[in-house]
């Protein structure tokens, strides 16, 4: 099995997927813009060959370079797990006549407006929305949809450049902040709890499923620096409150023509119990959610994704043993981290349930919390009981403090 894998070194978690491919027996041909000399030694040993390209986002140039590089060699798969490159991977598959999802199918996962149109056509509840490319179109869409509304990039990832807009005055301000965005989705605001539905799928059918709860909702976490975002994977997927969302997710996969690999979907549960589709990507979730899923079941999804992508097989048991909670911390102040308070006492009380503690240490520069959910590090705990996992997560959110100056 010979696999072209786009961007094997960045984002950093892509190195784990490269490892997974090698561990299931694939020869990995990496393509990226990281110089060969800068690749980590651990990554290099999992690569059969590596092509450096000057501009990884220049799809036509990358296709031409990869075509020349592979001349005389046959490959079996072209894969990518990074959102900006999923279309490029599909174009390369079509260029070489390889199995996998088509450009049209992948575009349904990448283009948020097209995504909603295809999902709605399958009879699934989605927020009312419109594609907007100009300020005039945005105002027209807002008049049709009404306030409050959500404005976000058509091809965005996560909650970057996503805004809740509650009035015409706010819309005027937000539009000025989004002038760099080529096109956006203007959509109905859905009030409700926000969950994920994550899968590793084979021919669109989940071989592995996960649900995680966002506490608070990502839009709130992205707008208030004082918040410590918490995400908790749910051990008990059989509970009635989740069933409508899980079934919705399975229908979405069929509506969009999912093939093999990871998906990451977000959905809303309204106070009346109705499940409403949010959005979906045909790639893994970020922000360490795959690590959480691994801790939930004691498995290695980096490797199992690779087994699915190469061989259409999923090997390990999927028993859910824990609720795994991650807490992202944001330092108070600017500059470099100067001290951490509350961590020692927290570890004395809950240390036996802590599986990762990766807070930035004093002397380390603060990260820009608006650009990365992972912020200034995290603590990851797990427990068989939801209430305990929830309690430990919010103890970390409330009691541990990082300071910078």
């Amino acid at each position: 099995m010979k696999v072209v894998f786009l961007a094997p070194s960045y984002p950093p978690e892509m190195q784990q997927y490269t490892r997974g491919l090698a561990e299931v027996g694939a020869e990995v041909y990496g393509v990226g813009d990281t110089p060969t000399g800068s690749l980590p030694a651990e990554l290099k040993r999992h690569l059969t060959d590596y092509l450096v390209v000057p501009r990884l986002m220049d799809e036509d140039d990358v296709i031409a370079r990869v075509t020349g590089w592979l001349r005389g060699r046959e490959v079996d798969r072209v894969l990518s797990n990074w959102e900006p490159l999923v279309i490029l991977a599909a174009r390369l598959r079509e260029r070489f006549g390889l199995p996998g999802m088509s450009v049209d199918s992948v575009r349904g996962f990448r283009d948020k407006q097209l995504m909603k149109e295809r999902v709605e056509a399958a009879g699934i509840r989605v927020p009312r929305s419109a594609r907007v490319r100009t300020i005039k179109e945005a105002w027209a869409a807002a008049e049709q949809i009404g306030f409050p509304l959500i404005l976000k990039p058509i091809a965005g990832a996560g909650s970057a450049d996503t805004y809740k807009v509650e009035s015409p005055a706010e819309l005027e301000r937000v539009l000025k902040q989004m002038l760099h965005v080529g096109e956006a989705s203007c959509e109905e605001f859905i009030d409700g709890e926000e969950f994920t539905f994550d899968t590793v799928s084979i021919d669109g059918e989940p071989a592995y499923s996960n649900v995680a709860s966002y506490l608070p909702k990502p839009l709130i976490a992205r707008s208030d620096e004082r918040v410590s975002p918490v995400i908790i994977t749910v051990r008990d997927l059989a509970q009635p409150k989740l069933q409508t969302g899980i079934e919705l997710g399975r229908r979405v996969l069929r509506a969009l023509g999912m093939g093999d690999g990871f998906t990451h979907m977000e959905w809303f549960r309204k106070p009346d119990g109705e499940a409403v589709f949010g959005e979906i990507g045909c790639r893994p979730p970020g922000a360490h959610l795959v690590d959480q899923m691994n801790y939930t079941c004691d498995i290695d999804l980096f490797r199992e994704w690779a087994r699915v992508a190469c061989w259409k097989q999923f090997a390990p048991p999927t028993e859910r043993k824990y609720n795994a909670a991650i807490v992202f911390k944001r330092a108070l102040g600017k500059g470099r981290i100067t001290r951490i308070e509350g961590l020692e006492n927290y570890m004395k009380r809950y240390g036996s349930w802590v599986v990762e503690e990766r807070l930035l240490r004093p002397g380390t520069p603060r990260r820009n919390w608006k650009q990365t959910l992972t912020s200034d590090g995290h603590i990851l705990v797990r427990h068989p009981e939801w209430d305990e996992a929830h309690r430990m997560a919010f103890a970390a959110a409330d009691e541990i403090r990082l300071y910078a100056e």
Side-chain angles (χ1 to χ4, degrees):
M1 179 64 66
K2 297 177 175 61
V3 177
V4 173
F5 188 52
L6 304 180
S9 66
Y10 181 85
E13 61 266 28
M14 296 303 131
Q15 297 173 37
Q16 297 280 17
Y17 297 108
T18 307
R19 168 188 62 80
L21 287 166
E23 287 180 353
V24 300
E27 295 179 5
V28 187
Y29 295 81
V31 178
D33 53 11
T34 302
T36 304
S38 300
L39 296 176
E42 181 68 14
L43 174 64
K44 285 182 180 179
R45 75 184 188 89
H46 296 306
L47 292 171
T48 299
D49 200 357
Y50 181 68
L51 173 68
V52 181
V53 297
R55 300 173 302 279
L56 195 53
M57 301 302 168
D58 185 338
E59 292 187 359
D60 291 340
D61 181 69
V62 172
I63 290 170
R65 291 175 185 272
V66 170
T67 300
W69 178 55
L70 292 179
R71 189 164 288 121
R73 295 189 282 191
E74 292 187 0
V75 295
D76 303 292
R77 301 283 188 273
V78 177
L79 304 171
S80 177
N81 276 339
W82 189 25
E83 178 84 15
L85 300 181
V86 293
I87 294 288
L88 173 57
R91 289 186 64 190
L92 283 164
R93 285 193 292 269
E94 293 192 354
R95 166 68 180 80
F96 297 119
L98 297 176
M101 292 171 64
S102 68
V103 172
D104 181 66
S105 293
V106 173
R107 188 168 285 121
F109 286 86
R110 180 75 171 131
D111 183 313
K112 288 183 171 56
Q113 189 60 30
L114 179 61
M115 175 195 303
K116 292 187 186 69
E117 291 169 2
R118 291 181 176 180
V119 170
E120 186 177 28
I124 299 168
R125 169 75 160 97
V126 303
R128 291 178 292 112
S129 63
R131 183 190 303 269
V132 298
R133 298 182 179 89
T134 66
I135 290 176
K136 182 178 180 180
E137 288 178 353
W139 281 106
E143 183 175 347
Q144 180 183 24
I145 293 168
F147 297 99
L149 57 82
I150 297 292
L151 202 60
K152 60 185 178 183
I154 283 287
S159 300
D161 290 312
T162 298
Y163 299 92
K164 178 184 178 184
V165 182
E166 303 205 40
S167 67
E170 280 192 22
L171 180 59
E172 185 172 3
R173 175 178 57 80
V174 165
L175 287 173
K176 292 177 181 178
Q177 294 176 263
M178 294 188 68
L179 292 176
H180 63 287
V181 176
E183 55 181 357
S185 176
C186 182
E187 65 183 49
E188 171 192 5
F189 172 74
I190 303 295
D191 187 19
E193 297 176 85
E194 192 164 349
F195 296 93
T196 74
F197 177 63
D198 312 285
T199 78
V200 179
S201 289
I202 300 175
D203 293 328
E205 289 297 320
Y208 171 88
S209 299
N210 176 76
V211 172
S213 176
Y214 290 120
L215 301 165
K217 292 187 286 188
L219 200 58
I220 297 173
R222 285 283 192 181
S223 60
D224 189 342
E225 186 177 9
R226 299 165 297 177
V227 169
S228 293
V230 174
I231 303 172
I232 310 179
T233 61
V234 182
R235 180 188 183 191
D236 178 15
L237 297 189
Q239 56 186 287
K241 71 177 290 185
L242 301 180
Q243 294 314 298
T244 53
I246 291 172
E247 177 55 28
L248 179 148
R250 289 176 172 271
R251 293 176 63 198
V252 168
L253 296 182
R254 292 192 289 270
L256 293 178
M258 179 59 196
D260 302 330
F262 259 110
T263 66
H264 171 61
M265 189 184 90
E266 293 169 345
W267 61 280
F268 303 93
R269 185 179 188 274
K270 295 175 64 177
D272 63 4
E274 181 188 18
V276 182
F277 173 73
E279 60 185 59
I280 189 170
C282 55
R283 45 79 180 171
H288 302 293
L289 186 48
V290 176
D291 296 311
Q292 284 182 260
M293 291 189 274
N294 286 340
Y295 284 121
T296 297
C297 300
D298 281 332
I299 58 178
D300 183 351
L301 289 172
F302 299 107
R303 183 175 60 236
E304 294 313 311
W305 159 81
R307 197 185 312 278
V308 165
C310 291
W311 314 110
K312 290 183 180 286
Q313 298 172 359
F314 189 91
T318 56
E319 176 191 359
R320 301 178 72 79
K321 303 175 181 179
Y322 303 95
N323 305 278
I326 194 166
V327 185
F328 298 106
K329 299 301 299 183
R330 295 164 177 170
L332 303 173
K334 301 185 183 301
R336 293 181 179 271
I337 307 296
T338 55
R339 68 186 191 278
I340 302 173
E341 294 182 356
L343 179 60
E344 185 175 352
N345 286 336
Y346 182 87
M347 293 300 292
K348 286 179 181 178
R349 285 185 292 159
Y350 306 117
S352 61
W353 300 106
V354 175
V355 290
E356 288 186 8
E357 184 273 288
R358 297 184 181 174
L359 300 177
L360 297 186
R361 287 323 196 232
T364 309
R366 266 206 74 179
R367 295 174 183 150
N368 187 332
W369 70 277
K370 290 187 175 181
Q371 294 181 355
T372 173
L373 176 61
T374 57
S375 303
D376 298 317
H378 69 265
I379 290 178
L380 207 164
V381 301
R382 66 179 184 176
H383 197 280
E385 301 299 325
W386 170 268
D387 289 344
E388 284 300 302
H390 186 280
R391 184 171 67 85
M392 289 189 291
F394 279 87
D398 295 337
E399 299 171 15
I400 298 174
R401 293 284 185 272
L402 280 68
Y403 295 88
E405 61 183 46

